[in-house]
Amino acid sequence: MAHSLNLAWLMVSSFLVMFMQLGFAMVETGFTRARNAVHTMAMNFVIYPLGVVGFWLVGYGIAMGGVQGWSALAPDGAAHAELGFHIGPRFFGLLGASKFALVTVAHDPPNLAMFLFSAVFMDTAATVPTGALAERWRFSAFVAYGLFMSMFLYPLFANWVWGGGWLSALGQNFGLGHGHVDFAGSSVVHMTGGVTALAGALVIGPRIGKFRKDGTIMMIQGHNLPMAVMGTFVLAFGWFGFNAGSTLAASEPRIAAIAANTALASATGALTSLFYVWQRHNRPDVAMACNGMLGGLVAITASCAFVAPAAAALVGVIAGLLVTWAVGALETRLRVDDPVGAIAVHGVCGAWGTMAVGLFADGSFGEGYNGVAGPVRGALFGDPGQLAAQAIGAVTNAVFVFGLAFFFFRMTDRLIGNRVAAEVESGGLDELEMGSQAYTHD
Amino acid sequence: MAHSLNLAWLMVSSFLVMFMQLGFAMVETGFTRARNAVHTMAMNFVIYPLGVVGFWLVGYGIAMGGVQGWSALAPDGAAHAELGFHIGPRFFGLLGASKFALVTVAHDPPNLAMFLFSAVFMDTAATVPTGALAERWRFSAFVAYGLFMSMFLYPLFANWVWGGGWLSALGQNFGLGHGHVDFAGSSVVHMTGGVTALAGALVIGPRIGKFRKDGTIMMIQGHNLPMAVMGTFVLAFGWFGFNAGSTLAASEPRIAAIAANTALASATGALTSLFYVWQRHNRPDVAMACNGMLGGLVAITASCAFVAPAAAALVGVIAGLLVTWAVGALETRLRVDDPVGAIAVHGVCGAWGTMAVGLFADGSFGEGYNGVAGPVRGALFGDPGQLAAQAIGAVTNAVFVFGLAFFFFRMTDRLIGNRVAAEVESGGLDELEMGSQAYTHD
Amino acid sequence: MAHSLNLAWLMVSSFLVMFMQLGFAMVETGFTRARNAVHTMAMNFVIYPLGVVGFWLVGYGIAMGGVQGWSALAPDGAAHAELGFHIGPRFFGLLGASKFALVTVAHDPPNLAMFLFSAVFMDTAATVPTGALAERWRFSAFVAYGLFMSMFLYPLFANWVWGGGWLSALGQNFGLGHGHVDFAGSSVVHMTGGVTALAGALVIGPRIGKFRKDGTIMMIQGHNLPMAVMGTFVLAFGWFGFNAGSTLAASEPRIAAIAANTALASATGALTSLFYVWQRHNRPDVAMACNGMLGGLVAITASCAFVAPAAAALVGVIAGLLVTWAVGALETRLRVDDPVGAIAVHGVCGAWGTMAVGLFADGSFGEGYNGVAGPVRGALFGDPGQLAAQAIGAVTNAVFVFGLAFFFFRMTDRLIGNRVAAEVESGGLDELEMGSQAYTHD
């Protein structure tokens, strides 16, 4: 019975995470211009089927091919032991190499459930760069990226943290806390998405007119702010599945703490951004409040199971400040053009959330996590090694994901070209790249 | 295992209720003008984080601080007994006074789950007045209201009905049926929201131009009717969590009756409004059909667990008539300007739904509810005392919530001012109050 | 406990299916013109309450009146045996005839749960023709249709397949596999909707200006493509409840395969349509990709529980091709005007999905389905009789549903008139038929 309940829980959570794709589509399309609305919407739409297929064929096997069954999901957990196959010793496990196209697990409920759950997680990461590269990305280059992300880039890092790879083994092998701990994906999903978005934005360059020759910066307004706000609600809704589903088990009463912490961090993130901008610029900027909520959600994702409500609220407050600062800094200092703030929300707050585990995990949960005895504790609760393991994971993500993504985008630039022609960009991608029109008025 | 299932049920229900915030945002923004779309959307967005934080810090402690564990949610329900602290004897319990900021229950699953579930209920009530005061409410005054509502006003009445307070004890103390019975919040949530909205609308006054000097009334059309219809669907979807989640237990098979009754009342409410207006004004008014559906949902909320399907359908029919009548009467007789019909839907139909328990509860459910032996029966099924308890609750809400809200809005008027300047209102609140623009077209 | 889990699963699935109504509303309204946006939205809105009431009063009794309890949903399944009443011997069962208005089952959880689940399934079928007949359907004729569909047409065919009727008995009586097998409704729901839509579109005729006298065809663009894409996401989300909920039991671990297959077929359907059109017309047509996703979803619905992931992907690929071809063929060859592609998506892909069970069911599931021993196998896995049973069901749907629907639409034409006046159509139905305006801009 517990297996049935857990399987149902994982299914419902998967559906909620899949629904987040709609939220991304709305936030990103709302924050871009009407002439590119079909293009932005289409990238967010197509990344879902594209990612599902890429992950089915290859990605799942790399990410989870080395995992030997999920005991919470099947009465006969042991029977799955033979399926696992991992390249490299656990000491330095690098990737899984089985279960491709689900052939060997075609009728195994735990693997099919984990495939779906993992696929929609991957798609969450994969859809982040569509925001940062919006309004100028050639659709064929985007499709190539979608396959690269779902088949290789995401699965590799996911393997290291969740598939039994080397980052998860930092505790067992080197005594660094419980190894790299990322409960629901601040690093695996959000940093990966945000760091890839940064690499892509650097390679593709800013939109025409964004950075003027005189050094001033053009504000390019989105065409539908209500759509972006509505999308934020959709994301905050689906995020409950994202975080609370990551127990893989409703028989784990910690789901209550996870959900409450998720709501609290989203709330303090939103309010911090709102009041900070209100104070500084004398207007309640709801777009920034949305980014603050998303930043709070991204940040609490790694630590949601390990911290007390007050700590969750603090994680959100800091995320709300960080996202506000990072949106500005990326633009004014790094001269990176990110139309929707994806790098700030997912990259920066993802890094912060990853570190937060190493600070605020209070020893109330995580007994035996990653094969290490005792609950997870951050530096403030007695285990500085945990903070080190978090830092190693975050730095690895920043270096490895960025490097591989940068290389990929540069290669694509040579082979296909990442960017539409200047006249297509000026005229709007909907008409010239997509052959469609978002809105007609009669 | 039953505890795990119930906890999961409560979590999923909480997510659905949280998602209703999107529905409110869409209905209210669709029914208001394009120049105020950001402002209306922003209020509906910000009330969620604002309410969560206010309820976390103070509200939950007042509403639920006196409750001593939820046995359906924890195997060790008894262990929570010590947490409860209630001001006043149970005879006349007035408020809880523990669990503030969740400090003492930071790792207690039932309390964390109930916090989230209660918080999104409160936020449902809190977002109602943003509709009635739309297109003229100063954002800072709205923020003050959000804190007042989430910290004090809602928690007090919620304590009286759901937190062990005096209204719930009317049965035990005075033999009035099972005391005030409100299964999922027709009075606690919807009347509270609607009555507060009425107080606010009276204090802030009508929009410029609404009531002309010659006595005629200007129809101010919403800017996006499809958005309002879509929002109604979102609300009807989330409402299933609202009502069926209020069992706090999926191990209670009554969830099937609750969900079916909810669907039926929503349907008869919508059809009654549709056909009534169609008959009278010769056009199928889909906006009124939406309000009819919402009215039916509000009305069935208190009685959904206690009545037969046919009675649920009748509750919806009467709600559909009431909401149609009340929308007109508020405008033409009371000269109250409520841009979205929030007072009619939540206040009037909330009162009707509260009374409906006292009429149609048929003795098929509610054994031991509020500590009174036997199932809940309305006057038509043999217990006129139940009708009296319902009336006492409704009148208390109308008097107490209205009084306190009216006082609060008058105080705010003096201290901050509830209303934006006339030129801001005429020019649109988006540009001058929010510094944002909802839509651009290129 | 298993009963409680299953009941909760059925409830959550019902909520998700109900939410699909929003998806239909968005897809159909997005694909039609702004001047008819209220009308299209209103039909999609009103069909939900209308269908619920019609199905409550009559339809459920016809569809499910002969079913004698669902053992997975109640510990005392046997106690429901007396409720069933079926006209005709099981050999040739034609319709149920009990449980009307739920009177005899007013407090029976399994029946109340099945009522809600069946009602939202019916409403899915019922909302399909509102797309094919959009932009010209008289609202009163639509209301008459809604009652006919929910009370009679859908319930009859549903009885034959899911209510113990003759199609489900083709295995027991004639040795044709497991009889007609439609796990979640490719024939019962989608073909019924699509075939009815075809009958309606033929009777009502094309929109003014669609087919010009010189033989050319006018492209009539929808007014909001992003809305249609968003609606597709909403449908794909709700579809998980549609398919995985059709186990009626979370204690059935097959839910994982069902959900994974659903995601895969939706993905391959979308990608196939996308790449096929891109190849042929040199543009990535996101509207067609949406129809491809919906076609894949429709097609996998019948077989989702019986096939391996690779087969599900193939079912989606073929659906993606079929829908692309059918959208064109209906217009250019049959000269049928279907503004949203409903006939191609639901009718054609529904028929394909029905047949796919008879091809790809691989014997991994369905032990004892429809009272026949052994698992379900298609022709490719050794049982050509199953393919015959599928064909009989599909042909029956095409003949019977089409015939009855055609007759109904012709009768309505005489009695009320299906079509608005030409000047109403040209001026837009919103102003002249609905008396409302979808959008205002100030």
Side-chain angles (χ1 to χ4, degrees):
Chain A
M1 264 308 297
H3 306 111
S4 297
L5 173 62
N6 294 343
L7 204 60
W9 178 250
L10 196 59
M11 292 293 91
V12 171
S13 297
S14 298
F15 308 161
L16 289 173
V17 177
M18 176 269 166
F19 194 53
M20 290 172 66
Q21 299 287 312
L22 172 64
F24 280 105
M26 296 177 81
V27 168
E28 294 185 7
T29 306
F31 280 151
T32 49
R33 285 169 290 184
R35 71 180 85 153
N36 302 319
V38 172
H39 179 259
T40 308
M41 191 56 82
M43 291 195 298
N44 279 282
F45 177 74
V46 170
I47 196 68
Y48 170 60
L50 199 62
V52 165
V53 169
F55 198 70
W56 168 54
L57 291 173
V58 177
Y60 182 70
I62 291 178
M64 297 293 173
V67 177
Q68 311 199 339
W70 289 270
S71 57
L73 297 174
D76 55 342
H80 304 282
E82 80 229 63
L83 295 171
F85 185 84
H86 210 288
I87 291 185
R90 180 167 169 83
F91 187 78
F92 230 81
L94 286 177
L95 71 165
S98 71
K99 309 183 187 177
F100 295 112
L102 297 174
V103 171
T104 56
V105 291
H107 296 302
D108 178 56
N111 266 292
L112 294 171
M114 280 303 295
F115 160 69
L116 184 61
F117 193 62
S118 307
V120 290
F121 267 61
M122 179 283 307
D123 253 320
T124 303
T127 206
V128 170
T130 63
L133 280 76
E135 308 202 285
R136 57 210 192 278
W137 205 353
R138 186 187 293 277
F139 208 76
S140 54
F142 151 75
V143 167
Y145 149 80
L147 293 174
F148 171 70
M149 185 64 150
S150 60
M151 288 176 158
F152 306 107
L153 185 53
Y154 175 91
L156 278 170
F157 194 79
N159 177 270
W160 299 352
V161 181
W162 291 339
W166 69 277
L167 283 169
S168 70
L170 288 175
Q172 285 188 312
N173 294 329
F174 304 102
L176 294 173
H178 284 65
H180 184 67
V181 170
D182 184 356
F183 190 72
S186 288
S187 69
V188 177
V189 176
H190 296 284
M191 267 197 85
T192 298
V195 164
T196 302
L198 175 63
L202 286 171
V203 172
I204 203 170
R207 289 168 291 177
I208 294 171
K210 178 70 188 175
F211 299 109
R212 299 199 194 85
K213 284 185 183 157
D214 62 4
T216 58
I217 298 173
M218 185 179 156
M219 278 293 299
I220 302 178
Q221 238 199 313
H223 84 291
N224 195 328
L225 188 46
M227 187 192 279
V229 179
M230 294 187 282
T232 304
F233 266 134
V234 171
L235 284 168
F237 169 60
W239 223 291
F240 286 116
F242 204 91
N243 285 2
S246 290
T247 55
L248 311 184
S251 60
E252 169 50 65
R254 199 71 182 184
I255 56 173
I258 295 168
N261 285 342
T262 301
L264 275 170
S266 77
T268 56
L271 295 182
T272 303
S273 291
L274 178 78
F275 290 124
Y276 179 81
V277 175
W278 201 349
Q279 193 63 26
R280 284 202 58 164
H281 300 290
N282 209 25
R283 65 188 192 94
D285 183 344
V286 68
M288 195 54 89
C290 287
N291 274 335
M293 179 174 285
L294 298 178
L297 286 163
V298 165
I300 198 61
T301 293
S303 62
C304 54
F306 305 107
V307 302
L314 183 59
V315 167
V317 166
I318 294 172
L321 291 173
L322 270 176
V323 78
T324 310
W325 164 80
V327 161
L330 278 161
E331 202 163 289
T332 56
R333 299 193 195 178
L334 294 185
R335 303 242 134 197
V336 169
D337 181 18
D338 177 355
V340 311
I343 301 167
V345 166
H346 299 276
V348 175
C349 293
W352 157 236
T354 304
M355 299 310 296
V357 178
L359 293 171
F360 300 121
D362 60 9
S364 60
F365 185 69
E367 178 63 47
Y369 199 92
N370 277 340
V372 177
V376 178
R377 288 179 193 282
L380 298 176
F381 292 84
D383 188 352
Q386 190 59 53
L387 188 61
Q390 297 309 107
I392 291 171
V395 169
T396 301
N397 190 297
V399 171
F400 167 79
V401 172
F402 182 86
L404 215 58
F406 194 84
F407 174 77
F408 170 80
F409 285 117
R410 290 297 292 267
M411 291 298 296
T412 316
D413 235 5
R414 288 206 185 165
L415 298 172
I416 323 181
N418 282 305
R419 189 156 184 152
V420 297
E423 59 271 22
V424 174
E425 187 177 342
S426 302
L429 278 75
D430 285 4
E431 198 178 324
L432 297 165
E433 178 77 1
M434 309 303 293
S436 293
Q437 203 180 341
Y439 308 107
T440 65
H441 296 289
D442 57 359
Chain B
M1 264 308 296
H3 306 110
S4 297
L5 174 62
N6 294 342
L7 203 61
W9 178 250
L10 197 59
M11 292 292 92
V12 171
S13 298
S14 298
F15 308 161
L16 289 173
V17 177
M18 176 269 165
F19 194 52
M20 291 172 66
Q21 300 287 312
L22 172 64
F24 280 105
M26 295 176 81
V27 169
E28 294 184 8
T29 306
F31 280 151
T32 49
R33 285 168 291 183
R35 71 180 85 153
N36 302 320
V38 172
H39 179 259
T40 308
M41 191 55 83
M43 291 195 298
N44 278 282
F45 178 74
V46 170
I47 196 68
Y48 170 59
L50 198 63
V52 164
V53 169
F55 198 71
W56 169 54
L57 291 173
V58 177
Y60 182 69
I62 291 177
M64 298 294 173
V67 177
Q68 312 199 338
W70 289 271
S71 57
L73 297 174
D76 54 342
H80 304 282
E82 81 229 64
L83 296 170
F85 185 84
H86 210 288
I87 289 185
R90 180 167 169 81
F91 187 78
F92 231 81
L94 286 177
L95 71 165
S98 71
K99 310 182 187 177
F100 295 112
L102 298 173
V103 171
T104 56
V105 290
H107 295 302
D108 177 57
N111 265 293
L112 294 171
M114 281 304 295
F115 160 68
L116 184 61
F117 193 62
S118 307
V120 289
F121 266 61
M122 179 283 307
D123 253 320
T124 302
T127 206
V128 170
T130 63
L133 282 74
E135 308 202 286
R136 56 209 193 280
W137 205 354
R138 187 187 293 276
F139 208 75
S140 53
F142 151 75
V143 168
Y145 150 80
L147 293 175
F148 170 70
M149 185 64 150
S150 61
M151 289 177 157
F152 305 108
L153 184 54
Y154 176 91
L156 277 170
F157 193 80
N159 177 272
W160 299 352
V161 181
W162 291 339
W166 69 276
L167 283 170
S168 69
L170 289 175
Q172 286 187 312
N173 293 330
F174 304 102
L176 294 173
H178 284 64
H180 184 68
V181 169
D182 184 357
F183 190 71
S186 288
S187 68
V188 177
V189 176
H190 296 284
M191 267 196 86
T192 298
V195 164
T196 303
L198 176 62
L202 285 171
V203 172
I204 203 170
R207 289 168 292 176
I208 294 172
K210 178 69 188 174
F211 298 109
R212 299 198 194 87
K213 284 185 184 155
D214 62 5
T216 59
I217 298 174
M218 185 178 157
M219 277 293 299
I220 302 178
Q221 239 201 310
H223 84 290
N224 195 328
L225 188 47
M227 188 192 279
V229 179
M230 294 187 282
T232 305
F233 266 134
V234 172
L235 283 168
F237 169 60
W239 223 291
F240 286 116
F242 204 91
N243 285 0
S246 290
T247 55
L248 310 186
S251 60
E252 170 50 65
R254 198 73 182 183
I255 56 174
I258 295 168
N261 285 343
T262 301
L264 275 171
S266 77
T268 55
L271 294 182
T272 302
S273 292
L274 178 77
F275 290 124
Y276 180 81
V277 175
W278 201 349
Q279 194 64 24
R280 284 201 57 162
H281 300 291
N282 209 25
R283 65 188 192 93
D285 183 345
V286 68
M288 194 55 86
C290 288
N291 274 335
M293 180 174 284
L294 298 178
L297 287 163
V298 165
I300 199 62
T301 292
S303 62
C304 54
F306 303 108
V307 302
L314 183 58
V315 167
V317 166
I318 294 172
L321 291 174
L322 270 177
V323 77
T324 311
W325 164 80
V327 161
L330 278 161
E331 202 164 289
T332 55
R333 298 194 196 177
L334 295 185
R335 304 241 135 198
V336 169
D337 181 18
D338 176 356
V340 310
I343 301 167
V345 166
H346 299 276
V348 175
C349 293
W352 157 236
T354 304
M355 299 310 295
V357 178
L359 293 172
F360 299 121
D362 60 7
S364 60
F365 185 69
E367 178 64 47
Y369 200 92
N370 278 339
V372 177
V376 177
R377 289 181 192 281
L380 297 176
F381 292 83
D383 188 352
Q386 190 60 52
L387 189 60
Q390 297 309 107
I392 292 171
V395 169
T396 300
N397 190 297
V399 171
F400 167 78
V401 172
F402 183 85
L404 215 57
F406 194 83
F407 175 77
F408 170 80
F409 285 117
R410 291 297 292 267
M411 290 299 296
T412 315
D413 235 5
R414 287 205 186 167
L415 298 172
I416 323 181
N418 281 305
R419 189 157 185 153
V420 297
E423 60 270 23
V424 174
E425 187 177 342
S426 301
L429 279 74
D430 285 4
E431 198 178 326
L432 298 164
E433 178 77 1
M434 309 303 293
S436 292
Q437 203 181 341
Y439 308 107
T440 65
H441 296 288
D442 54 2
Chain C
M1 264 306 297
H3 305 111
S4 297
L5 174 61
N6 294 343
L7 203 62
W9 178 251
L10 197 59
M11 291 292 92
V12 171
S13 298
S14 299
F15 308 160
L16 289 173
V17 178
M18 175 269 164
F19 194 52
M20 290 171 66
Q21 299 288 312
L22 171 64
F24 280 105
M26 295 176 81
V27 169
E28 294 185 6
T29 306
F31 280 151
T32 49
R33 285 169 291 184
R35 71 180 85 152
N36 302 320
V38 171
H39 178 258
T40 308
M41 192 55 83
M43 291 195 298
N44 279 281
F45 177 74
V46 170
I47 197 67
Y48 170 60
L50 199 61
V52 165
V53 169
F55 198 70
W56 168 54
L57 291 174
V58 177
Y60 181 70
I62 290 177
M64 298 293 173
V67 177
Q68 311 200 338
W70 289 270
S71 57
L73 298 174
D76 54 343
H80 304 283
E82 80 229 63
L83 297 170
F85 185 84
H86 210 288
I87 289 185
R90 179 166 169 82
F91 187 78
F92 231 81
L94 286 177
L95 71 164
S98 70
K99 309 183 188 178
F100 294 113
L102 298 173
V103 171
T104 56
V105 291
H107 295 302
D108 178 56
N111 266 293
L112 294 171
M114 281 304 295
F115 160 68
L116 184 61
F117 193 62
S118 308
V120 289
F121 266 61
M122 179 283 307
D123 253 321
T124 303
T127 206
V128 170
T130 61
L133 280 75
E135 309 203 283
R136 57 210 191 279
W137 205 352
R138 187 186 293 276
F139 209 75
S140 53
F142 151 75
V143 168
Y145 150 80
L147 293 174
F148 171 70
M149 185 64 150
S150 61
M151 289 178 158
F152 306 108
L153 185 53
Y154 176 91
L156 277 171
F157 194 80
N159 178 272
W160 299 351
V161 181
W162 290 339
W166 69 276
L167 283 170
S168 69
L170 287 175
Q172 285 188 313
N173 293 331
F174 304 102
L176 294 173
H178 283 65
H180 184 67
V181 170
D182 184 356
F183 190 71
S186 289
S187 69
V188 178
V189 176
H190 296 285
M191 268 196 85
T192 298
V195 164
T196 302
L198 176 62
L202 285 170
V203 171
I204 204 170
R207 288 168 291 177
I208 294 172
K210 178 69 188 175
F211 298 109
R212 297 197 196 87
K213 284 184 184 159
D214 62 4
T216 59
I217 298 172
M218 186 179 156
M219 278 294 299
I220 302 178
Q221 239 200 311
H223 84 291
N224 195 328
L225 188 47
M227 188 192 278
V229 180
M230 293 187 283
T232 304
F233 266 135
V234 171
L235 284 168
F237 169 60
W239 223 291
F240 286 116
F242 203 91
N243 285 0
S246 290
T247 56
L248 311 186
S251 60
E252 169 51 65
R254 199 72 182 184
I255 55 173
I258 295 168
N261 285 342
T262 300
L264 275 170
S266 77
T268 56
L271 295 182
T272 302
S273 291
L274 178 78
F275 290 124
Y276 179 81
V277 175
W278 201 350
Q279 193 64 26
R280 284 201 59 163
H281 300 291
N282 210 24
R283 65 188 192 94
D285 183 344
V286 69
M288 195 55 87
C290 287
N291 274 335
M293 180 173 283
L294 297 178
L297 287 163
V298 165
I300 199 61
T301 293
S303 63
C304 55
F306 305 108
V307 302
L314 184 59
V315 168
V317 166
I318 295 172
L321 292 173
L322 271 177
V323 79
T324 312
W325 164 81
V327 161
L330 278 160
E331 200 163 291
T332 56
R333 297 192 198 180
L334 295 186
R335 303 243 134 196
V336 169
D337 180 18
D338 176 356
V340 310
I343 301 167
V345 166
H346 299 276
V348 175
C349 292
W352 157 237
T354 304
M355 299 310 295
V357 177
L359 294 171
F360 300 120
D362 60 9
S364 61
F365 185 69
E367 178 64 46
Y369 199 92
N370 278 339
V372 176
V376 178
R377 288 180 194 282
L380 297 176
F381 292 84
D383 188 352
Q386 189 61 52
L387 189 60
Q390 298 309 108
I392 292 171
V395 169
T396 300
N397 189 297
V399 171
F400 168 78
V401 172
F402 182 85
L404 215 57
F406 194 83
F407 175 78
F408 170 80
F409 285 117
R410 291 296 291 268
M411 290 299 295
T412 315
D413 235 5
R414 288 206 186 166
L415 298 172
I416 324 182
N418 281 305
R419 190 156 183 151
V420 298
E423 60 270 22
V424 173
E425 187 177 342
S426 301
L429 279 74
D430 285 5
E431 198 177 325
L432 296 165
E433 178 77 1
M434 309 303 293
S436 292
Q437 203 180 343
Y439 309 107
T440 65
H441 296 289
D442 56 358

